[in-house]
Structure formats: structure tokens, C-alpha cells
């Protein structure tokens, strides 16, 4: 965000929220968008490709931008990339995405759909959210007509200058013609959404700037209409890690992909330096409260992290899930207990016919990504079984040993239960 954006006095609630809470990186015409939002309902969209059955917290900043658009009187349009996922977004990627079948894409969309119902109010009202799939128009395109009517508006020279493409070519990494078409398809999405729903705004991460500008130019050339683009900063944690990843892998938003306890725990483990920023971006607490909590020092900052975890988990999974996760955390950390909401690995007698090693338990429970990682964790003293240090990766567990639940711990903050079912 440049100095002009920082000193600008917004007329609309939307621009005020987006700027003051830290969502604003760049905007094609901040004053024009602000005036449009102050006058009436602004339909705005963000696209989500269906590359997995759930989104992870790396997408949460975009979801929150759409949520604030609705809360300030705009109309959020959730665009599922049923068509563009067949191509794959090359932005800042080192290699081409693996291609998915139509059946896989449809299954992923069904899983992702669950996320949005927690954040948006869908319906037929002026500011009710809308979810659409770009396969509706992309699957029907006639290639020659598309080249003649749409392709002629794009300059290859300009497309090659976009940083997302340029960085790939500068590293002498292959960029297929299939991927190169992605930015044209995304631009066409904006045009179609403007035609069908009067969409005036596309938002996305700053890595999408080139794609967004293409859509704005195409809509102006074809329909002679002014539309807007707004990007958020690409978010990393204060220690330089990419948002959306944890020690045990991606932090998924769907509860069937990641337990609500583990989701809660991810936010509870936020570093001190990120607390205020994350409160502003990922919760709806007033800004002065975010600042107050972020300024706490010593042990008090841990209470701020619990507030952060509770607020984010409530938005994603509901207040009951947040309360259960906090209770379990306090059981585990303060009382040394097990807690009812811990991630659980349920084994059957058949699983234990030949016994199972401690290293395998750490892998099967998700506390280690591989047997090698589990053995290293144990060898380095980072593993515990029922709160006692674990030293033997080859220790075998049978049905007798698992007659009562066994608590596994990796490091200081990651836990799981192993139980025996009939």
C-alpha cells in the first residue's frame, strides 16, 4: 500500500475496512471503486480453483475480503474454477500443475462448497452471495470464435512482461501453451461475470495483478464498461513461512480434512509478532481491540492467541467447536490430561495382528510425515507417549497395550490419541 492509499479518506465502509485491516496492496482505481461502493451495491468476485477437496488457510484472506464486502453492503460472487482448473494457474509456480479429470474437479468443488456456507449468506437478495462455476461458459466456447472475438485483444508482448510469467521464464522453466491460456480465460471470466451479474470488482492476491488487469482491459474493450481490480498482500508469517502450512502439513478449512482442534491449535501457536495483524485480517474484532490484544506482553500474549484461535475457529466451524477445542487445549496443557477433542487414530484388532511400531503410530496419527521423520523425532527427544519421553522408534504396540487410549505428543504442542475399536 502506497502513501496515497494510506492518506486517502474513504467514503465507503468497504474501502475503509479493507484498507484499515490490512487487506489492501494495490487497486486499479481506489477513488473510483470507493465512490461506486458508497453509491450502491458493488458485486465483486474472487476465483478459487478446485485443485483439492478443501481450501486451506492460505485462501482465508480472500474469503475474509468477500465476507467484508457482504458485511459492508456489497455482493460477493464466489467463482469456482471448474473450467480453469482444467488448465491450471501458472502464477509464480515452478512447474505445471498436474491435470485433473472432470470427475475429480466436480468432487473438489463439492468439498470446497462446504467452506463458503460458514462465511457468506447465500440467497436472491441484492447483497446475498452467489456461487457460480466458470465451466458454465468456458466449456461451451468455440475455439475459433474465441480466438477471433477475444484473443485479438491480448498482446503477447504484454503478457510476457507480467511478473508471474516473467519469473518463470527467467528461471528457464517451461511454460506450456496450455498454462499461457490461463490468463486469457481468467480475463474472460471477468467479462462474463460483468455481462451476467453486473460484476464490477475482481479481488485476489497480489500474484493475480496481471490476470486482473487483463480482465479489466478486456471488459473495457469489449463492453466499454469500467470495472475495478483490488489485490491483497501475499501473506507470510513473521518468520517468513508461507501462510497455510504447519509442521504437519496444510491447514485445511474443512473439518473432515483437519480436525477442529488442530485448526484451533494452529492459530493458538501464532508467533507473538503476528497476533495483531492476524486479529485484524482473520477476525471481526474492532481494530482498537486488535491493537490492545496485540500489544500484550509476557504470558498475557497467550490469552490474546486464545482469543484469536477462538474467533477464527468460530467463523470457520462454529462457536461450539471453538469452545470444545479450547477446553481440550486446557486439559492437555494445563492439567496434563487427554481432552475429548484431540485428533484420534482408531485402530482395529486386525490392524494390530502383527503389532504396530511407535514410529508407525506417529505416521498414522499425522504427527509425522514419514517413518524417517518419526524416527528422527524420537531420536532427537521430541516424542512422548502418555507424557513420558519416547526413545525406541521400534517399540511395538499390540491390543493389550492399547486397551486404554494412548496419548502421543510431537514437540510441545502437537498431540493425538490412539484408541482400539472392536
Amino acid at each position: 500500500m502506497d502513501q496515497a492509499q494510506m492518506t486517502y479518506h474513504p467514503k465507503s465502509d468497504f474501502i475503509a475496512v479493507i484498507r484499515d485491516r490490512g487487506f489492501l496492496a494495490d487497486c486499479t482505481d481506489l477513488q473510483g471503486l470507493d465512490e461506486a461502493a458508497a453509491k450502491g451495491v458493488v458485486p465483486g468476485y474472487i476465483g478459487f480453483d478446485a485443485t483439492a477437496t478443501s481450501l486451506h488457510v492460505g485462501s482465508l484472506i480472500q474469503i475474509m475480503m468477500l465476507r467484508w464486502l457482504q458485511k459492508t453492503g456489497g455482493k460477493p460472487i464466489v467463482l469456482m474454477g471448474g473450467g480453469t482448473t482444467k488448465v491450471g494457474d501458472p502464477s509464480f509456480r515452478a512447474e505445471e500443475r498436474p491435470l485433473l479429470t472432470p470427475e475429480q474437479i466436480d468432487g473438489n468443488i463439492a468439498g470446497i462448497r462446504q467452506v463458503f456456507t460458514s462465511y457468506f449468506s447465500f440467497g436472491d437478495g441484492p447483497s446475498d452471495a452467489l456461487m457460480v462455476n466458470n465451466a458454465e461458459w468456458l466449456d461451451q466456447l468455440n475455439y475459433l470464435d474465441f480466438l477471433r472475438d477475444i484473443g485479438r485483444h491480448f498482446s503477447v508482448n504484454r503478457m510476457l512482461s507480467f511478473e508471474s510469467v516473467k519469473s518463470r521464464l527467467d528461471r528457464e522453466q517451461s511454460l506450456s501453451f496450455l498454462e499461457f491460456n490461463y490468463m486469457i480465460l481468467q480475463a474472460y471470466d471477468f467479462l462474463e461475470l460483468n455481462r451476467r451479474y453486473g460484476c464490477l470488482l475482481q479481488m485476489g492476491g497480489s500474484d493475480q495483478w496481471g490476470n486482473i488487469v487483463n480482465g479489466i482491459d478486456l471488459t473495457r474493450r469489449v463492453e466499454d464498461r469500467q470495472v475495478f481490480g483490488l489485490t491483497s498482500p501475499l501473506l507470510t508469517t513473521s518468520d517468513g513461512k508461507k501462510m497455510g502450512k504447519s509442521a504437519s502439513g496444510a491447514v485445511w478449512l474443512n473439518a473432515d480434512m483437519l480436525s477442529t482442534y488442530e485448526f484451533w491449535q494452529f492459530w493458538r501457536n501464532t508467533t507473538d509478532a503476528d497476533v495483531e495483524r492476524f486479529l485484524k485480517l482473520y477476525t471481526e474484532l474492532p481494530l482498537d481491540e486488535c491493537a490492545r490484544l496485540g500489544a500484550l506482553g509476557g504470558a498475557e500474549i497467550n490469552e490474546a492467541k486464545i482469543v484469536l484461535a477462538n474467533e477464527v475457529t468460530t467463523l470457520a466451524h462454529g462457536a461450539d467447536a471453538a469452545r470444545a477445542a479450547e477446553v481440550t487445549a486446557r486439559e492437555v496443557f494445563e492439567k496434563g490430561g487427554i481432552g475429548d477433542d484431540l485428533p484420534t487414530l482408531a485402530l482395529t484388532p486386525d490392524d494390530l495382528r502383527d503389532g504396530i511400531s511407535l514410529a508407525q503410530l506417529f505416521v498414522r496419527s499425522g504427527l509425522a510425515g514419514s517413518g524417517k521423520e518419526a524416527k528422527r523425532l524420537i531420536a532427537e527427544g521430541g516424542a512422548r507417549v502418555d507424557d513420558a519421553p519416547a526413545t525406541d522408534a521400534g517399540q511395538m504396540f499390540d491390543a493389550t497395550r492399547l486397551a486404554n487410549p494412548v496419548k502421543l505428543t510431537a514437540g510441545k504442542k502437537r498431540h493425538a490419541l490412539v484408541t482400539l475399536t472392536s
Side-chain angles (χ1 to χ4, degrees):
M1 184 166 57
D2 59 30
Q3 186 64 31
Q5 292 171 343
M6 292 175 62
T7 57
Y8 177 74
H9 297 289
K11 299 177 181 178
S12 68
D13 291 340
F14 174 66
I15 294 299
V17 166
I18 290 297
R19 187 194 64 179
D20 295 346
R21 298 190 80 95
F23 291 100
L24 178 59
D26 288 295
C27 183
T28 54
D29 180 357
L30 186 64
Q31 183 174 347
L33 176 58
D34 186 33
E35 290 174 355
K39 288 178 182 176
V41 176
V42 169
Y45 92 96
I46 296 178
F48 299 88
D49 276 347
T51 55
T53 55
S54 171
L55 300 174
H56 60 63
V57 299
S59 298
L60 194 50
I61 190 171
Q62 314 302 335
I63 294 173
M64 291 300 294
M65 290 171 76
L66 283 176
R67 182 175 170 88
W68 279 114
L69 178 66
Q70 184 170 50
K71 287 177 70 70
T72 54
K75 183 179 185 67
I77 300 175
V78 177
L79 180 66
M80 292 308 306
T84 41
T85 301
K86 297 172 183 176
V87 176
D89 184 1
S91 298
F92 295 96
R93 292 184 61 84
E95 58 189 20
E96 188 173 350
R97 290 184 185 274
L99 297 181
L100 302 177
T101 66
E103 292 74 22
Q104 288 174 313
I105 292 172
D106 289 343
N108 289 346
I109 290 175
I112 292 171
R113 188 188 305 271
Q114 303 170 30
V115 172
F116 297 120
T117 57
S118 299
Y119 290 92
F120 312 124
S121 174
F122 289 88
D124 299 323
S127 62
D128 283 339
L130 184 67
M131 182 172 174
V132 294
N133 185 339
N134 64 13
E136 292 177 21
W137 51 85
L138 295 182
D139 283 358
Q140 310 305 317
L141 288 179
N142 178 290
Y143 187 58
L144 291 179
D145 289 345
F146 185 70
L147 285 179
R148 183 192 62 200
D149 298 337
I150 302 300
R152 65 189 178 91
H153 295 293
F154 290 84
S155 163
V156 172
N157 298 44
R158 186 171 183 229
M159 292 163 74
L160 288 172
S161 72
F162 289 134
E163 189 60 33
S164 59
V165 174
K166 191 171 179 291
S167 63
R168 182 96 160 252
L169 298 178
D170 286 347
R171 296 193 299 267
E172 298 184 355
Q173 291 165 331
S174 174
L175 180 69
S176 72
F177 181 70
L178 182 70
E179 293 176 288
F180 197 61
N181 272 269
Y182 184 94
M183 61 182 71
I184 301 177
L185 296 177
Q186 184 170 329
Y188 186 70
D189 282 344
F190 202 171
L191 174 63
E192 275 295 321
L193 289 171
N194 180 263
R195 286 170 167 171
R196 293 172 182 235
Y197 308 107
C199 185
L200 295 178
L201 171 65
Q202 182 182 359
M203 298 184 287
S206 58
D207 60 337
Q208 295 297 315
W209 180 255
N211 292 335
I212 291 172
V213 169
N214 270 336
I216 291 171
D217 287 347
L218 180 63
T219 304
R220 176 181 55 81
R221 290 171 183 269
V222 175
E223 297 291 342
D224 193 27
R225 294 174 185 163
Q226 183 183 19
V227 290
F228 305 94
L230 186 152
T231 60
S232 61
L234 287 183
L235 201 63
T236 57
T237 58
S238 59
D239 53 5
K241 294 178 181 177
K242 187 175 181 180
M243 194 66 183
K245 299 288 186 180
S246 71
S248 56
V251 182
W252 301 106
L253 298 179
N254 283 24
D256 59 350
M257 297 278 284
L258 185 78
S259 74
T260 53
Y261 170 79
E262 290 174 289
F263 182 82
W264 187 95
Q265 195 63 46
F266 170 79
W267 297 100
R268 167 61 181 81
N269 292 341
T270 296
T271 58
D272 295 0
D274 288 325
V275 170
E276 180 178 352
R277 183 167 57 128
F278 285 4
L279 284 166
K280 289 179 179 178
L281 290 171
Y282 298 115
T283 81
E284 295 172 346
L285 292 176
L287 289 173
D288 55 354
E289 179 67 2
C290 295
R292 184 190 72 80
L293 290 168
L296 295 175
E300 288 185 322
I301 194 67
N302 291 326
E303 291 305 312
K305 294 177 184 180
I306 290 174
V307 172
L308 171 66
N310 283 338
E311 292 289 325
V312 179
T313 306
T314 295
L315 284 174
H317 300 296
D320 289 345
R323 281 192 294 269
E326 183 182 359
V327 168
T328 292
R330 293 192 185 279
E331 284 285 329
V332 171
F333 297 118
E334 296 178 8
K335 302 177 184 178
I338 288 179
D340 294 330
D341 203 36
L342 278 182
T344 300
L345 168 64
L347 299 176
T348 67
D350 284 345
D351 294 324
L352 301 171
R353 188 170 299 164
D354 299 318
I356 186 170
S357 71
L358 180 60
Q360 289 175 307
L361 287 179
F362 271 85
V363 174
R364 292 277 299 274
S365 65
L367 295 179
S370 65
K372 183 178 180 180
E373 181 183 324
K375 291 175 183 177
R376 183 172 64 250
L377 177 73
I378 294 167
E380 293 175 353
R384 301 175 76 85
V385 176
D386 290 333
D387 296 321
T391 57
D392 182 6
Q395 179 185 355
M396 299 301 292
F397 288 74
D398 57 18
T400 301
R401 178 66 178 84
L402 291 171
N404 294 311
V406 170
K407 175 183 169 187
L408 303 179
T409 302
K412 295 181 179 179
K413 300 176 180 178
R414 296 170 52 227
H415 309 269
L417 290 181
V418 183
T419 63
L420 178 63
T421 62
S422 55

